[in-house]
Amino acid sequence: HLSAYREMGLDIVALCDLIPKRAESRCKEFFPRAQTYADYRELLKRDDIEVVDIATHPQDREYLIPAVLKAHKHVLSQKSFVLELDKGHHFTELAEKMGRTLAINQNGRWSPHWSWVRQAIGKGLIGDVSAVHMNCHWSHEWIANTPFNRVHHIVFYDYGIHWFDALASFMPDRTATRVTANLGYAKGQCARPPLLGQALIEFDVGHASLVFDGAVEFGAKDDGFIFGTKGTLRYDGPSLSEHHVELITAKGRAVPKLQGVWFRQGFMGSMGELLCAIEQKRTPLNNPADNLRGLAICFAAEVSGETDKPQIVGKVRKAPIKTCMVSPR
């Protein structure tokens, strides 16, 4: 986050962490003039702070988000947004009541390939979308020695939420109805949670599939296929930072030249969208109501993966208890 904000030239005036040395270290590295705090309530007393980026675990954001909004400051909430859909709606209503803007850091929306795909769909270049299929084959074994190793649904909720969110943004006028999902372990994997997962999503019109192979040691690959009534979009790449995108219609084939990479431009995009929305007095693209569409699909996938039974989207109101991560402190 801080690396992206420094490149954007933002005026970061304060950093807060329960462990003061952490905030001091980041301050020294990125924004030497910023002031550090160990108590968020002291930070919120400052009138010169307009926007707060809350990059904590979900359970901590449950009290931080309302506190920041009630202090009349705008909020960028880290993904995944909430552990309960009803709380997400409550925070949305609170932001409106306080006249503040709340956005979610679904930075994947501004990865170069997904951003181009979303814009192409929004401009009607492939007509009405009928299907979205996205596959991610990569190694997520890095979590084995981190607190994330205690999150059973790490593939769906923490990392895969980018894919659930992208899917919802690719089918903005469709209603997800039912999800069938499963989770599994790869032979020889070191991480504790299942690193294999897949979900089939039914919509009122059309369908979608998401496949995660989180234990791929060699030949990583990330690809997608989206087709509509007027054309098809395809993307493919050897990593999450390098992609090739194609648009195929009756007029022929187009290959855009993408710029940037997910891990910096993506973070610049999510905060930049919030700041532009505030200045322009409009709803940001990464608003909570829109984000909850993807989160509802994700919750249904988690429960389906646990029960081996299809789940109705929207009926599952909370993330399974296995989703919650216990803080290492």
Side-chain angles (χ1 to χ4, degrees):
H1 296 219
L2 295 175
S3 179
Y5 301 161
R6 182 173 59 185
E7 185 172 333
M8 294 171 73
L10 300 186
D11 184 17
I12 306 300
V13 298
L15 285 79
C16 182
D17 196 291
L18 287 173
I19 301 176
K21 288 184 178 180
R22 287 184 176 178
E24 292 166 4
S25 174
R26 293 293 185 267
C27 181
K28 182 178 180 180
E29 181 181 1
F30 293 99
F31 294 95
R33 296 182 181 180
Q35 186 172 350
T36 60
Y37 295 84
D39 188 339
Y40 73 93
R41 289 165 293 195
E42 292 300 314
L43 180 149
L44 294 181
K45 291 179 181 179
R46 292 181 53 164
D47 294 331
D48 62 329
I49 293 177
E50 299 176 280
V51 179
V52 178
D53 176 358
I54 304 178
T56 65
H57 297 319
Q59 52 267 49
D60 299 317
R61 295 198 299 273
E62 290 184 0
Y63 63 86
L64 288 172
I65 289 176
V68 176
L69 291 173
K70 290 177 182 178
H72 299 282
K73 303 182 190 307
H74 306 287
V75 175
L76 179 68
S77 169
Q78 174 65 354
K79 60 83 191 166
S80 300
F81 180 28
V82 289
L83 293 167
E84 299 180 24
L85 298 180
D86 292 339
K87 286 188 177 179
H89 290 296
H90 171 68
F91 293 155
T92 303
E93 294 172 356
L94 179 60
E96 294 177 354
K97 179 181 179 181
M98 302 308 299
R100 300 295 91 179
T101 302
L102 170 61
I104 315 304
N105 187 30
Q106 288 290 171
N107 46 76
R109 289 198 181 194
W110 286 273
S111 59
H113 63 303
W114 280 351
S115 181
W116 201 93
V117 167
R118 187 183 69 253
Q119 294 285 348
I121 292 173
K123 292 182 180 297
L125 298 185
I126 65 169
D128 294 324
V129 177
S130 294
V132 176
H133 302 291
M134 296 190 286
N135 309 293
C136 186
H137 316 283
W138 85 120
S139 175
H140 214 50
E141 288 278 27
W142 66 269
I143 68 169
N145 297 313
T146 74
F148 292 103
N149 203 39
R150 295 194 291 271
V151 183
H152 183 73
H153 290 290
I154 188 74
V155 167
F156 282 165
Y157 180 78
D158 185 78
Y159 202 77
I161 189 60
H162 287 296
W163 278 256
F164 286 106
D165 179 74
L167 166 62
S169 74
F170 294 163
M171 303 181 80
D173 300 323
R174 301 283 188 264
T175 300
T177 56
R178 188 169 67 164
V179 179
T180 302
N182 69 276
L183 292 164
Y185 293 88
K187 181 73 173 178
Q189 74 170 65
C190 297
R192 184 187 305 172
L195 292 183
L196 306 180
Q198 56 185 347
L200 300 176
I201 303 98
E202 300 172 40
F203 287 80
D204 53 350
V205 177
H207 71 164
S209 65
L210 304 178
V211 176
F212 304 99
D213 292 326
V216 176
E217 186 175 357
F218 306 104
K221 181 180 175 66
D222 181 59
D223 63 81
F225 184 92
I226 303 103
F227 86 87
T229 54
K230 296 181 180 179
T232 296
L233 285 160
R234 301 189 300 208
Y235 69 83
D236 191 2
S239 70
L240 298 178
S241 299
E242 182 181 352
H243 289 89
H244 172 87
V245 175
E246 292 181 297
L247 167 66
I248 302 100
T249 68
K251 296 181 179 180
R253 174 175 170 270
V255 180
K257 183 178 181 180
L258 304 179
Q259 296 181 342
V261 293
W262 181 343
F263 279 81
R264 188 158 305 168
Q265 274 71 29
F267 291 86
M268 295 168 70
S270 56
M271 175 59 84
E273 170 64 10
L274 169 59
L275 298 179
C276 288
I278 294 170
E279 288 190 1
Q280 298 165 6
K281 294 180 171 54
R282 61 172 175 81
T283 300
L285 176 66
N286 48 341
N287 66 82
D290 186 66
N291 179 258
L292 288 171
R293 294 178 59 244
L295 201 54
I297 301 173
C298 179
F299 284 177
E302 290 180 79
V303 173
S304 179
E306 283 192 3
T307 63
D308 291 326
K309 296 179 180 180
Q311 298 295 317
I312 302 300
V313 177
K315 188 174 182 180
V316 179
R317 306 302 296 175
K318 300 180 181 181
I321 190 65
K322 291 182 179 180
T323 296
C324 301
M325 181 170 70
V326 179
S327 173
R329 293 191 292 274

